[in-house]
Amino acid sequence: FATFPGLPKWRKTHLTYRIVNYTLDLSRDAVDAAIEKALKVWEEVTPLTFSRIYEGEADIMISFAVREHGDFAPFDGPGATVAHAYAPGPGIYGDVHFDDDEQWTEDTSGTNLFLSAAHELGHSLGLFHSDNPEALMYPVYNPRTDLARFRLSQDDVNGIQSLYGPPPASPDEPMVPTKFIPPAPQMPSLCDPALSFDAVSTLRGEILFFKDSYFWRKTPWNHKPEFHLISTFWPALPSELDAACESYSKDMVFIFKGNKFWATRGNEIQAGYPRGIHTLGFPPTVRKIDAALSDKEKKKTYFFAEDKYWRYDENRQSMEKGFPRLIADDFPGVGPKVDAALQAFGFFYFFSGSSQFQFDPNAKKVTHILRSNNWLKC
Amino acid sequence: YPLAGAVKKDSNMDLVQQYLEKYYNLANGMKQLVRRKDSITVGKKIKEMQKFLGLEVTGNLDSNTLEVIRKPRCGVPDVGH
């Protein structure tokens, strides 16, 4: 293996990537999946983790282009150069460019996108070309690669681990840390007294607490919550979510960000999503929602946006008349703004900053004020 | 001098010249030398490429070498720029 002259490498282990545009040779889902699979190849052998962003500057910007495309390294039409990438660093560094004059395919009938992406991402992480013909980082594209049994060669693993070391935990170690491991600076800490959540939802008897690119998963059988990257379960979801709620009748969780929402069943995002939130019946003035909770018994879903709320009738599949109403009128003591909301044990739980309001919907009053991270048994 | 007939444009030499410039740091100014084929530098560069790509190191443009040069590949150089 070889590394770039000067040994450029990322000084952080959590990297962002963005798929800037798409080739017409493949469906968007196929491109998304190929990139995710290619990132996972490197994620599995290093401490590196990746999360996808949809706008702005990511560490790794991934794009398709033909001929001259603004980096003084023009592509050359079909064949010959199929892609290139830049060593770790700011701006164009770390980026991946695919030559869209190639025929990008999911199999090896054309140029396999996954295989090329895995190679180019090796460059984005700091690997140069290897002279080992078995290595992924060998410069010549090998159309006979067995995709079903693709594995990094030892040469590739030695190369990337010379830059970043091995993954933090061997597979047989427990997923949930047995002792409190102080998180890396950019990771949220469940014991941070100021911890607030972006979104909270039940899921088949569990409770998910979303924050930034991560979420805690509280399960009935585990005292300590698990901590995961959102992208580990839902690679296509953005980070910094706005709201989430479970639809018990549909066995789905709806995830909201900006003016879009996704439907997930388990960790499968349902076809046809994301959709616009206005398809649920919100007026155009609502640009995003702050929180959502589902009342399992009454089959109603409550949506909170700024100082107002709406109620959605699960049976009629439409927003109820007479809404929006003011949160302060019907949930006195809650607010002013709601970050996340949850129904459990007959109570509504409203998360606002580092505080959590337990609200009795029958007595129509706040019965307890707790810390937001109270559920996580810090 | 041998009759200065029109130098037959050897597309293989063009191909190898571009390849060596792009991936093996052959300086652009070597253009003329490449045409004369007897340049020590180009022979060295061809050997460097053949060694890196796992080919028989002959320093010549044999069919194996030409075949590999024509294969699709990554656009990042093989030796440090």
Side-chain angles (χ1 to χ4, degrees):
Chain A
F1 69 87
T3 52
F4 282 94
L7 210 65
K9 58 181 271 193
W10 296 102
R11 301 293 163 196
K12 53 188 178 179
T13 56
H14 181 70
L15 300 172
T16 57
Y17 74 97
R18 179 181 160 198
I19 302 173
V20 179
N21 64 359
Y22 286 83
T23 172
L24 297 178
D25 301 343
L26 291 167
S27 71
R28 284 175 169 242
D29 286 355
V31 173
D32 292 352
I35 300 298
E36 283 148 23
K37 190 178 164 193
L39 288 164
K40 209 169 278 298
V41 160
W42 297 110
E43 207 169 47
E44 283 166 359
V45 293
T46 63
L48 297 174
T49 54
F50 302 95
S51 66
R52 183 175 177 182
I53 63 174
Y54 292 77
E55 60 246 340
E57 181 73 19
D59 298 313
I60 300 172
M61 300 284 267
I62 296 165
S63 58
F64 291 83
V66 295
R67 302 293 178 179
E68 180 50 61
H69 52 281
D71 64 0
F72 302 108
F75 283 133
D76 46 19
T81 301
V82 301
H84 58 221
Y86 292 85
I92 193 171
Y93 290 101
D95 292 0
V96 174
H97 299 165
F98 293 107
D99 182 351
D100 212 359
D101 275 331
E102 310 307 324
Q103 179 62 40
W104 293 105
T105 58
E106 288 182 272
D107 54 21
T108 50
S109 60
T111 307
N112 179 267
L113 182 59
F114 155 70
L115 204 50
S116 181
H119 174 101
E120 298 308 331
L121 288 164
H123 291 313
S124 303
L125 300 179
L127 286 184
F128 210 29
H129 280 146
S130 167
D131 59 7
N132 178 333
E134 302 305 312
L136 172 66
M137 294 314 290
Y138 184 72
V140 179
Y141 173 77
N142 179 3
R144 285 184 307 283
T145 302
D146 181 344
L147 295 172
R149 273 192 289 279
F150 173 81
R151 287 177 61 82
L152 286 177
S153 76
Q154 192 55 49
D155 179 77
D156 299 308
V157 174
N158 294 345
I160 202 71
Q161 291 190 351
S162 74
L163 291 170
Y164 300 101
S170 63
D172 50 1
E173 278 181 28
M175 282 297 278
V176 179
T178 47
K179 63 185 181 329
F180 179 71
I181 298 174
Q186 70 273 28
M187 284 188 191
S189 156
L190 91 160
C191 287
D192 174 358
L195 180 66
S196 63
F197 295 116
D198 296 333
V200 177
S201 175
T202 54
L203 166 59
R204 297 174 178 169
E206 302 179 14
I207 304 180
L208 310 179
F209 298 83
F210 294 92
K211 178 70 178 178
D212 301 341
S213 312
Y214 304 89
F215 72 99
W216 284 276
R217 176 184 177 189
K218 181 163 176 43
T219 62
W221 55 85
N222 214 330
H223 176 67
K224 285 301 269 179
E226 296 173 18
F227 184 58
H228 299 282
L229 270 168
I230 294 173
S231 57
T232 302
F233 284 73
W234 301 284
L237 282 187
S239 52
E240 281 123 49
L241 303 176
D242 289 338
C245 64
E246 182 172 18
S247 164
Y248 300 96
S249 56
K250 294 192 177 81
D251 182 30
M252 285 188 192
V253 170
F254 289 98
I255 305 276
F256 296 79
K257 173 137 189 188
N259 62 2
K260 295 193 193 76
F261 73 104
W262 290 256
T264 68
R265 175 167 288 136
N267 62 348
E268 290 295 319
I269 292 187
Q270 301 305 291
Y273 287 87
R275 289 181 188 165
I277 59 173
H278 301 103
T279 57
L280 292 170
F282 288 108
T285 48
V286 174
R287 287 172 301 106
K288 67 186 271 289
I289 63 165
D290 298 328
L293 72 80
S294 297
D295 184 333
K296 190 174 186 176
E297 288 70 37
K298 296 198 174 71
K299 293 194 179 344
K300 307 278 186 186
T301 300
Y302 292 73
F303 293 104
F304 302 86
E306 292 169 8
D307 61 348
K308 301 181 185 65
Y309 81 100
W310 284 257
R311 199 167 61 195
Y312 185 87
D313 186 316
E314 292 282 338
N315 291 327
R316 295 211 331 270
Q317 291 289 295
S318 64
M319 216 58 99
E320 288 192 7
K321 299 261 182 294
F323 287 87
R325 294 172 57 86
L326 286 176
I327 294 173
D329 288 352
D330 299 343
F331 301 98
V334 170
K337 185 175 171 307
V338 179
D339 293 336
L342 169 73
Q343 187 217 28
F345 313 117
F347 290 102
F348 287 3
Y349 291 88
F350 293 100
F351 296 81
S352 181
S354 59
S355 302
Q356 178 188 171
F357 301 90
Q358 182 192 63
F359 187 86
D360 182 334
N362 302 313
K364 286 203 176 309
K365 67 176 185 172
V366 171
T367 46
H368 273 93
I369 297 180
L370 313 146
R371 278 209 183 287
S372 289
N373 62 0
N374 170 268
W375 293 82
L376 298 176
K377 300 286 177 278
C378 169
Chain B
Y1 283 99
L3 276 179
V7 172
K8 177 175 166 299
K9 184 176 168 59
D10 182 341
S11 64
N12 288 342
M13 282 316 284
D14 277 350
L15 190 65
V16 79
Q17 169 209 330
Q18 286 165 24
Y19 203 89
L20 294 175
E21 281 175 3
K22 193 163 183 180
Y23 302 117
Y24 288 84
N25 254 350
L26 176 67
N28 266 320
M30 308 299 291
K31 206 174 284 291
Q32 289 322 314
L33 280 175
V34 169
R35 291 204 186 293
R36 283 175 30 218
K37 289 192 196 180
D38 62 358
S39 130
I40 297 166
T41 308
V42 174
K44 260 174 63 179
K45 280 294 178 186
I46 290 176
K47 284 182 180 174
E48 183 183 358
M49 169 185 63
Q50 288 169 329
K51 181 171 183 295
F52 189 92
L53 295 177
L55 298 163
E56 188 192 354
V57 180
T58 63
N60 298 319
L61 270 188
D62 49 66
S63 57
N64 267 356
T65 301
L66 281 170
E67 184 195 341
V68 170
I69 285 179
R70 289 197 172 93
K71 284 187 173 176
R73 60 158 289 156
C74 169
V76 171
D78 294 341
V79 294
H81 263 299

